[in-house]
Amino acid sequence: MTNSSTQALSVLTVPAFHDNYLWLIHDGSHAVAVDPGDAKAILAALKANGLKLTAILLTHHHADHIGGVPELLQHYQVPVFGPRNESIAAITLPVGEGKQIDVPGLALRLSVLDVPGHTMGHIAYVREPSDDEPTWLFCGDTLFAGGCGRLFEGTPAQMISSLGKLAALPDDTKIYCAHEYTLSNLRFARVVDPDNLALQERVKTETDKREHNIPTVPSTIGVEKATNPFLRYRETAIAEQLVSAGRLDRVDTPLATFTALRLWKNDF
């Protein structure tokens, strides 16, 4: 487990399953769990760090994000914030875009964004920058380091809109996404964006991290805008690469490019 510290609040990385990251935002005493798919991993992290759970935040309904909630509620009777447009039995406080949350037990205020695409009701949580920390983004499976979520329920147009909201955050925003998919995503990115020098450097950096068992997350918005093809789909070079690979008939609209890009990644 690793810490990303601020003076008052820290984010604790809790690995789970094969490649999930669960998050504990805490002040050294109290903590809120983000997408706790595995209760045992969260309970162990709370115990190891002397923390008391005061709230749960959910981004969407998939089991690896919500599966641990019932067991956690057996140990801690806490509010559960989650997407207002998804049916998740454990949610006690449904939220959506425009809502601000004052997290119980912590000096933490979060804003909510609606980011449909991966699922229809997917949301993200944003912490505004503080004196010594940039913006924090907890985006579930919408934006990944080097990639984006599969479109299980939404449309390419919805995902473009959602990613646009996230890309509009400050470049130094820390992205706390939910999976260690980075090297796989970057292998695909190099195929569709082969002349991107920033991407080539990033592959080296992230490969070194994984060889030393260091998480590649959090990333930043600036890094993603420079290297993530799902934020760079408007680049003509990427569209031309799709045409060359037979994934697109011709250089077309940004929507057609994004759609072809996501379909290619699905079976890459």
Side-chain angles (χ1 to χ4, degrees), residues 186 189-203 223-229 232 235 237-238:
L186 295 183
R190 288 200 66 176
V191 170
V192 299
D193 200 6
D195 298 324
N196 184 334
L197 296 179
L199 173 58
Q200 293 170 25
E201 286 302 311
R202 186 180 186 189
V203 170
V223 167
E224 296 310 315
K225 285 161 67 173
T227 60
N228 187 329
R232 290 173 46 78
E235 297 290 328
I238 290 179

Side-chain angles (χ1 to χ4, degrees), residues 24-35:
L24 284 173
I25 311 170
H26 71 94
D27 62 3
S29 299
H30 301 100
V32 55
V34 183
D35 283 345

Side-chain angles (χ1 to χ4, degrees), residues 51-65:
L51 301 172
K52 177 183 178 183
L53 191 69
T54 60
I56 295 170
L57 303 172
L58 306 176
T59 61
H60 66 291
H61 65 80
H62 287 160
D64 59 324
H65 294 254

Side-chain angles (χ1 to χ4, degrees), residues 115-137:
V115 287
H118 180 67
T119 66
M120 287 301 290
H122 202 303
I123 61 174
Y125 300 92
V126 179
R127 184 205 181 199
E128 296 303 316
S130 59
D131 291 341
D132 53 359
E133 270 291 306
T135 303
W136 292 350
L137 169 66

Side-chain angles (χ1 to χ4, degrees), residues 205-229:
T205 299
E206 307 295 22
T207 299
D208 183 68
K209 288 179 185 176
R210 294 311 296 150
E211 287 176 350
H212 293 87
N213 202 32
I214 298 170
T216 61
V217 181
S219 177
T220 68
I221 291 294
V223 167
E224 296 310 315
K225 285 161 67 173
T227 60
N228 187 329

